[in-house]
Amino acid sequence: MQKEQLTLLDAEGKPTMFAPIMIATLSTCAQLERENIKFRLNSGRKLYIERGGKLGRKVGSVKTIEQKKEQYKDIISYLKRGYSIRNVAKLTNKGISTVQRIKADFNL
């Protein structure tokens, strides 16, 4: 007695009639697993908050505009004088992303 083998490709390399069924089944399993993970994560977060936990950034970890103005006054000065972002980054030994962020924060 020989068991029938379920293959996704026939002898010519073309998909068999089982291929779409297998793909749909696996896709459904993956979707169910994603929903299960999402449920577990959200229930864990909810339980953590109910027990007094806090999510998000710590208080004081985000700098105010005044703190940024003081810390990055050299960057602001160069940008006001019309220097390019790359030149300001080199002159101040800061990253290009930092200079871009300060430029956006102060509309320079």
Side-chain angles (χ1 to χ4, degrees), residues 7 9 35 42-43 50 53 55 62 66 70-71 75 78-80 88 90 93 97 104:
T7 58
L9 299 175
E35 289 173 7
N42 287 336
S43 65
E50 287 173 358
L55 298 176
V62 178
E66 293 304 318
E70 178 62 31
Q71 183 176 358
I75 293 176
Y78 284 123
L79 288 172
K80 283 183 177 177
V88 173
K90 285 180 185 176
N93 291 322
S97 296

Side-chain angles (χ1 to χ4, degrees), residues 84-98:
S84 72
I85 291 172
R86 290 181 192 272
N87 285 338
V88 173
K90 285 180 185 176
L91 291 169
T92 59
N93 291 322
K94 301 283 195 280
I96 292 173
S97 296
T98 302

Side-chain angles (χ1 to χ4, degrees), residues 42-103:
N42 287 336
S43 65
R45 286 185 188 107
K46 183 180 174 188
L47 185 63
Y48 177 72
I49 292 170
E50 287 173 358
R51 292 182 178 173
K54 295 185 180 179
L55 298 176
R57 294 182 183 264
K58 292 181 180 177
V59 176
S61 66
V62 178
K63 295 177 186 167
T64 65
I65 291 293
E66 293 304 318
Q67 289 171 326
K68 287 180 183 179
K69 191 180 284 187
E70 178 62 31
Q71 183 176 358
Y72 299 113
K73 58 186 170 191
D74 53 345
I75 293 176
I76 295 169
S77 172
Y78 284 123
L79 288 172
K80 283 183 177 177
R81 288 191 242 156
Y83 283 74
S84 72
I85 291 172
R86 290 181 192 272
N87 285 338
V88 173
K90 285 180 185 176
L91 291 169
T92 59
N93 291 322
K94 301 283 195 280
I96 292 173
S97 296
T98 302
V99 177
Q100 289 174 327
R101 193 167 38 254
I102 296 303
K103 183 176 181 178

Side-chain angles (χ1 to χ4, degrees), residues 1-5:
M1 184 168 159
Q2 180 181 355
K3 289 188 177 183
E4 188 170 331
Q5 300 270 331

Side-chain angles (χ1 to χ4, degrees), residues 8-55:
L8 299 179
L9 299 175
D10 61 13
E12 298 172 3
K14 295 180 181 176
T16 64
M17 64 180 192
F18 295 111
I21 296 169
M22 292 294 288
I23 291 170
T25 304
L26 292 172
S27 175
T28 302
C29 290
Q31 179 63 32
L32 289 171
E33 184 62 22
R34 283 191 296 274
E35 289 173 7
N36 194 14
I37 291 169
K38 185 177 176 181
F39 174 78
R40 288 195 316 263
L41 287 172
N42 287 336
S43 65
R45 286 185 188 107
K46 183 180 174 188
L47 185 63
Y48 177 72
I49 292 170
E50 287 173 358
R51 292 182 178 173
K54 295 185 180 179
L55 298 176

